[in-house]
C-alpha cells in the first residue's frame, strides 16, 4: 500500500465513523444514467458504502429510459411542472420500464460487486400508498389557479418502511422504483424525487442525496449555486429560474429537511463517484439545500 492510499483512508476515517450504521437515501436520476462507466461507478459507490457500514437506500428515476420505449411505441411524452402526464397506456410503460429494466439493471450492477441489492417497487410490502396528484397552475395572475389533471401521477399518502428495515437489518440494499399503489389497487407513477424524500423522512435518514445530470441548482450564468435556502427557492421557482425537473428536486430536498433528515444535496451523477465525493469530503459537492 502506498502512502497516498493510506493517507486517503485516514482522511475519510472521520466520515466513515460519522455515517457508519446511518441510513443514506440516494435518488439516482434517470438523466444521470448516461454510460456504462458511470452506471458501474455509481453501483460501486453504493456497494462500497454498504461494506464500510453505511446503509444506502437507492430510489431511481428513469425519464429518458421511459421516453425511448414510449417513442418506439408511438406514444408521446408531455410534462407539467416536471411531472409526466400519465394516461393508462403510459402508466403501463412506466411500470414496465421502471420496475423492470431500469430497476434490475441497477440491482444487477450492485450485485456484480456482491452488494446484496434487492429491487422493489412501491407496491412491494405495502411500501408506498398513493392518491391522484392535483396540480394547481396559475398562468394568469388575475385569474384563480386552474387544476390540471396529470393522469395517473401519484401523490404519496403513506410510506410503510417495514420492508426496508427488514432488508437493511439483513444486510441488503433496497433499490426502489417510484411506482405506488392506490387504495383501490390502481397504479400510480410518482416522481422519484418525491419518493426519495418521503422514504428518507420515514427512515429518519442522515442524508438525502439527489443525483442528477447537472452540478446542482445553476444560476443565470449556468454557474453552480452551492447553497440555497427555502426563501431563495420560492423566489427562483416563481421567476422561472428553477424550472422543469429541478422543481420537484428542490421542493423534495426541503421537505426532507423539515421532516428531520439532516442534510439534502443535489449533485451531478456525470461526475464519476459523485456520491463518495459528496459524503467523504468536507465541503461536499453540488447544491446544499437549507431551511432558513
Ligand atoms: N435552475 C436550474 N438549475 C439546474 N437545473 C435546472 C434548473 N432549472 C431547471 N433545471 C433542469 O432540471 C434538470 C434535472 O431534472 P430532471 O428531472 O431532468 O432529471 P432527473 O430528476 O435527474 O432524472 P429523472 O427525472 O429521470 O429521475 C436539469 O437537467 C435541468 O435541465
Ligand atoms: Mg426528474
Amino acid at each position: 500500500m502506498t502512502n497516498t492510499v493510506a493517507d486517503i483512508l485516514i482522511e475519510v476515517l472521520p466520515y466513515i465513523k460519522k455515517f457508519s450504521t446511518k441510513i443514506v437515501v440516494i435518488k439516482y436520476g434517470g438523466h444521470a444514467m448516461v454510460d456504462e462507466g458511470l452506471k458501474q461507478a455509481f453501483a460501486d459507490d453504493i456497494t462500497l458504502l454498504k461494506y464500510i457500514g453505511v446503509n444506502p437506500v437507492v430510489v431511481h428515476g428513469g425519464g429518458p429510459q421511459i421516453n425511448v420505449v414510449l417513442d418506439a411505441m408511438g406514444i408521446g411524452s408531455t410534462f407539467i411542472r416536471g411531472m409526466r402526464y400519465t394516461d393508462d397506456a403510459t402508466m403501463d410503460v412506466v411500470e414496465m420500464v421502471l420496475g423492470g429494466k431500469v430497476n434490475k439493471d441497477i440491482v444487477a450492477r450492485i450485485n456484480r460487486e456482491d452488494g446484496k441489492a434487492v429491487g422493489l417497487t412501491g407496491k412491494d410490502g405495502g411500501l408506498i400508498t398513493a392518491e391522484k396528484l392535483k396540480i394547481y397552475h396559475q398562468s394568469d395572475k388575475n385569474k384563480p389557479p386552474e387544476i390540471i389533471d396529470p393522469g395517473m401521477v401519484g401523490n404519496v399518502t403513506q410510506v410503510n418502511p417495514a420492508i426496508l428495515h427488514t432488508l437493511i437489518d439483513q444486510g441488503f440494499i433496497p433499490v426502489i422504483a417510484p411506482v405506488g399503489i392506490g387504495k383501490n389497487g390502481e397504479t400510480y407513477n410518482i416522481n422519484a424525487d418525491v419518493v426519495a424524500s418521503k422514504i428518507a423522512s420515514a427512515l429518519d435518514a442522515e442524508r438525502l442525496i439527489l443525483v442528477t445530470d447537472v452540478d446542482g441548482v445553476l444560476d443565470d450564468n449556468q454557474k453552480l449555486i452551492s447553497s440555497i435556502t427555502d426563501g431563495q427557492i420560492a423566489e427562483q421557482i416563481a421567476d422561472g429560474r428553477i424550472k422543469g425537473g429541478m422543481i420537484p428536486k428542490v421542493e423534495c430536498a426541503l421537505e426532507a429537511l423539515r421532516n428531520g433528515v439532516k442534510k439534502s444535496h443535489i449533485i451531478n451523477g456525470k461526475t464519476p463517484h459523485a456520491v463518495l465525493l459528496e459524503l467523504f469530503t468536507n465541503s461536499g459537492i453540488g447544491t446544499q439545500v437549507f431551511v432558513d
Side-chain angles (χ1 to χ4, degrees):
M1 191 155 71
T2 66
N3 273 341
T4 342
V5 175
D7 289 347
I8 291 170
L9 284 170
I10 295 303
E11 209 180 298
V12 297
L13 179 58
Y15 301 101
I16 296 177
K17 285 200 274 189
K18 179 173 170 187
F19 293 116
S20 178
T21 75
K22 300 280 169 41
I23 293 175
V24 173
V25 174
I26 299 133
K27 189 273 175 147
Y28 186 28
H31 287 84
M33 301 167 192
V34 178
D35 60 42
E36 294 301 309
L38 281 172
K39 285 194 262 188
Q40 195 56 45
F42 175 83
D44 292 350
D45 288 3
I46 300 301
T47 309
L48 186 138
L49 289 179
K50 191 75 189 181
Y51 275 89
I52 59 172
V54 185
N55 293 313
V57 173
V58 177
V59 178
H60 63 85
Q65 296 76 4
I66 293 166
N67 289 344
V68 168
V69 180
L70 287 175
D71 285 349
M73 294 174 76
I75 307 171
S77 304
T78 315
F79 289 89
I80 314 154
R81 286 186 101 245
M83 308 272 175
R84 179 189 298 277
Y85 175 74
T86 309
D87 59 15
D88 290 347
T90 305
M91 189 62 244
D92 282 347
V93 174
V94 167
E95 187 173 24
M96 286 189 280
V97 175
L98 289 180
K101 188 85 181 96
V102 177
N103 187 275
K104 299 311 163 201
D105 184 56
I106 300 167
V107 165
R109 282 176 197 280
I110 296 173
N111 287 342
R112 199 191 284 174
E113 300 303 322
D114 296 323
K116 291 178 77 182
V118 173
L120 56 168
T121 79
K123 287 184 175 180
D124 294 288
L127 179 59
I128 300 163
T129 313
E131 63 181 12
K132 197 180 178 76
L133 176 79
K134 288 196 185 85
I135 300 178
Y136 296 90
H137 181 74
Q138 190 162 22
S139 49
D140 183 338
K141 275 192 181 140
N142 302 314
K143 287 188 187 153
E146 8 161 10
I147 299 173
I148 299 169
D149 178 0
M152 295 311 287
V153 177
N155 183 26
V156 176
T157 50
Q158 208 190 331
V159 173
N160 176 355
I163 182 70
L164 300 182
H165 286 302
T166 303
L167 290 172
I168 293 167
D169 290 350
Q170 296 298 317
F172 292 99
I173 302 175
V175 177
I176 303 159
V179 171
I181 191 157
K183 60 174 191 284
N184 299 315
E186 68 278 26
T187 305
Y188 285 106
N189 169 26
I190 311 170
N191 182 283
D193 303 329
V194 174
V195 170
S197 170
K198 297 279 184 190
I199 284 179
S201 302
L203 292 175
D204 219 358
E206 191 71 14
R207 287 284 178 96
L208 171 63
I209 302 175
L210 300 160
V211 181
T212 185
D213 63 347
V214 286
D215 284 344
V217 181
L218 305 176
D219 69 14
D220 295 338
N221 301 316
Q222 300 296 297
K223 275 193 62 188
L224 175 70
I225 302 172
S226 53
S227 61
I228 191 163
T229 63
D230 48 349
Q232 292 166 329
I233 285 171
E235 234 171 68
Q236 295 197 20
I237 292 176
D239 67 19
R241 272 180 287 169
I242 292 178
K243 53 183 185 292
M246 193 50 71
I247 297 176
K249 234 174 273 304
V250 287
E251 286 178 342
C252 290
L254 276 179
E255 198 197 79
L257 293 176
R258 291 192 175 113
N259 288 326
V261 173
K262 307 280 183 315
K263 270 189 184 182
S264 295
H265 272 261
I266 299 164
I267 66 171
N268 194 348
K270 288 180 174 170
T271 305
H273 304 293
V275 172
L276 295 186
L277 293 173
E278 161 50 26
L279 285 173
F280 298 148
T281 56
N282 208 2
S283 51
I285 56 172
T287 301
Q288 188 179 345
V289 174
F290 290 93
V291 177
D292 228 359

